[in-house]
Amino acid sequence: MKKRVLAIFLVMCGLMMVVAVVFADLKKGYYRPAELGSLRQTALIELSPDSNYQVSAYPVPGADLVPGDGRQEVQTYCNTCHSPIYVTMQPPLPAATWEAEVNKMNKAYGAAIPEDTTQKIIRYLQAHYTVENRTP
Ligand code: HEC
């Protein structure tokens, strides 16, 4: 019992000392370690005046969409946010799923494809990418 009281007393003394040191530092104005908060910038890169740069076309993975009425609309409108390869990488989907998919792009993701074009795209996808008619 005596040993436990002594141990508690020593722990309390230790804590008091830590608090005292922190308080003393705060009174001196040290609120954080000296290095914290300083950012070192890297040196600027030296550019040579005769540098050559080559820029080529952005590599867009080509989606081999089946030829048909509506293909161009898919390539144009469905390419705004992601490659139309999203169409070909799907498994053959039921017709209703394609309709829901295109509606989801419009409503949930804000594709804002005009209504008649939306219907054309749905017809195209249903004519070439369902379980019944998907070729590749
Ligand atoms: C406004 C941006 C936008 C447009 C335009 C768009 N999509 Fe998407 N699409 C998304 C986002 C966001 C996702 C989900 C995130 C991801 O997988 O990149 C997605 C995912 C998909 C998927 C994967 C399945 C899924 O539901 O996540 C398919 C298939 C798809 N889109 C088809 C189309 C077709 C077909 C069109 C043209 C009618 C189209 N998208 C146009 C934004 C768009």
Side-chain angles (χ1 to χ4, degrees):
M1 185 65 189
K2 250 184 163 183
K3 275 186 182 168
R4 190 181 279 180
V5 171
L6 186 68
I8 292 174
F9 176 72
L10 288 176
V11 168
M12 293 297 281
C13 284
L15 281 175
M16 296 283 276
M17 280 171 68
V18 170
V19 169
V21 168
V22 170
F23 182 71
D25 269 355
L26 285 179
K27 277 202 93 173
K28 275 197 263 172
Y30 299 148
Y31 295 102
R32 55 181 180 223
E35 283 296 301
L36 204 75
S38 61
L39 275 178
R40 299 222 166 89
Q41 292 188 330
T42 50
L44 285 177
I45 301 166
E46 287 275 334
L47 293 176
S48 64
D50 61 345
S51 299
N52 283 324
Y53 300 96
Q54 195 177 2
V55 178
S56 54
Y58 184 75
V60 179
D64 287 331
L65 292 173
V66 178
D69 194 28
R71 178 192 186 192
Q72 200 186 340
E73 282 76 3
V74 171
Q75 279 170 339
T76 309
Y77 287 93
C78 306
N79 205 16
T80 323
C81 307
H82 55 68
S83 163
I85 213 165
Y86 271 40
V87 169
T88 55
M89 74 185 189
Q90 301 303 316
L93 297 173
T97 307
W98 277 120
E99 183 174 2
E101 196 62 43
V102 176
N103 288 334
K104 176 175 144 188
M105 297 303 133
N106 269 338
K107 293 193 181 103
Y109 296 145
I113 303 168
E115 183 50 34
D116 51 337
T117 313
T118 297
Q119 292 312 318
K120 196 171 178 183
I121 288 173
I122 292 170
R123 280 196 301 274
Y124 168 80
L125 294 171
Q126 289 177 338
H128 302 285
Y129 291 96
T130 61
V131 186
E132 296 80 25
N133 53 34
R134 173 128 185 196
T135 39

